[in-house]
Amino acid sequence: PRMRIELIAHTDSRGKKEYNLLLSVARAEAAKSYLVNNGIDRDRILAVGYGENELRNHCADNIVCSEQEHAYNRRTEIKILSND
């Protein structure tokens, strides 16, 4: 019940960098809202967006990739900050 987490959201590289950053922040906040609405104290959750800054594959700007490859970059990760 005291665990603190960070929700880290990412996008693919399509679209403008500024838009993708805002989109990733919105995704992180949406994940936070889901957890809060299901009983987790909002003070235990930090929501952060990284946009397209940490791609997991080669699908950067102007690189031809499949939809599946782009989808691989769209994610929200959970990092445990503390558990005391």
Side-chain angles (χ1 to χ4, degrees):
R2 296 183 308 253
M3 181 183 293
R4 294 192 65 244
I5 63 169
E6 181 177 13
L7 299 171
I8 307 162
H10 304 270
T11 65
D12 61 34
S13 65
R14 296 181 291 185
K16 296 185 185 248
K17 287 187 184 294
E18 298 82 15
Y19 173 79
N20 284 336
L21 182 59
L22 293 173
L23 179 59
S24 66
V25 169
R27 286 182 177 164
E29 289 294 337
K32 179 177 179 174
S33 291
Y34 174 83
L35 294 173
V36 169
N37 289 338
N38 283 279
I40 306 299
D41 182 356
R42 75 173 37 261
D43 293 334
R44 294 175 42 211
I45 306 167
L46 176 62
V48 180
Y50 280 85
E52 60 185 81
N53 293 321
E54 294 185 4
L55 300 174
R56 297 194 293 184
N57 59 24
H58 67 283
C59 296
D61 290 341
N62 303 315
I63 303 292
V64 177
C65 291
S66 69
E67 179 57 36
Q68 184 176 5
E69 289 173 311
H70 282 298
Y72 185 62
N73 288 311
R74 297 187 300 264
R75 66 203 185 274
T76 299
E77 300 169 336
I78 300 170
K79 179 180 178 182
I80 297 172
L81 300 175
S82 67
N83 192 20
D84 34 89

